[in-house]
Amino acid sequence: MLNKNSIPKTALLELPISLVRDNQGHIYVSDFRANNIKKFDAKGNFLKIIGREGQGPGDLNGPSLMVFARDRLFIWELRNRRFSFFDAEGKFIKFIRVYPGEGYPRKLRALANGDVVMEREKSYFFEVEKPQNCTIEIYSPHLEHKKTIYSQEVWRNKFIIEPIRTNVPQPFQPDVFWEVSPRGKIAIAFSKKYEIEIYDPHIGKLFSFSGSLVPAKVTQRDKEEFFNSQVFGTIGGQSTSIRRGAPDYIKKHTHFPKTKPYFNSIFIDSKENILVHINKETTDNKYENYDVFDSEGNYINTIRFIDNIHSNEIIFLDFAEDCFWVRVADDNGLFEIIKYKIAR
């Protein structure tokens, strides 16, 4: 666990999004709400804050994705729409702007040679009935594009014009999931079917393998919970009203498939095993189920994480220490980051 007692009150974790390690074992946490990066030593003791809120060189605004490659910290700033580069001590180097037509980053991973694997999503704003385009690309340590290894259309959102211009989330639609292994192979999967593809970043696709699963049905309860979970604000005069539940125009443009995607995420552990978070038809929804395959695609077992850890809470898989880091919020909305050892 990060040592919360070592963090000054002015540097508490407000909304941690991602976590990375450098070559010396130092830990960096991007804090989206605080608009900075918090640096810790290998034991989790707080060291310093990198960046400050703003739009100028060295400023940060909505830092979310991060990767550490070639002694540089790459930070994607969602609100500034740019990558900012810092050295390990927090000294600003440069920034590179990203424009809408290029597609915005959704995930970053580093390769051993310093190259960066990036997932980008290109949205076609003002073009209704057109899906997003998801690509997985390889970049140099200077963020120069080298190649695209994967491309897939996805329906994460549906753009509408009436009664307002907005994106409507599309639940339970197949999506792209991927992860980089300790040896630099990339596992990529589109959850419309239960198939995992293994890529070499230089050669391309090596092989694929399949799992066996009966897809879970989308129930009426699933639909109700999805709509009830949405929160909308209305601005009028001097006040803003917040209400829970999807308005009719959102319901009208939300499409539910008959069955859920085969899986919701994939992970790779330090032994190159591939864990697939499956949507299994079960009466016990308390736990998440994971099919485990070895690096050659052979099925090993189906497991559950202890402590009912949810996949969307895992923010970093740490191959160096054979563990994973989990973001946890308490009843007051305060965050902790907890380190879990992988036991076999």
Side-chain angles (χ1 to χ4, degrees), residues 2 49 63 81 88 91 99 109 163 181 186 204 261 306 330 343:
L2 297 183
I49 288 178
R81 299 291 194 267
K91 181 181 177 181
Y99 298 95
R109 290 292 185 269
S181 78
I186 306 171
I306 62 171
D330 62 21

Side-chain angles (χ1 to χ4, degrees), residues 10 66 75 94 113 116 127 175 196 219 230 243 301:
T10 55
M66 287 193 306
I75 305 167
K94 66 176 181 179
N113 66 352
V116 174
E127 295 186 49
D175 207 343
I196 315 295
T219 65
Q230 298 189 41
R243 71 180 184 88
N301 202 354

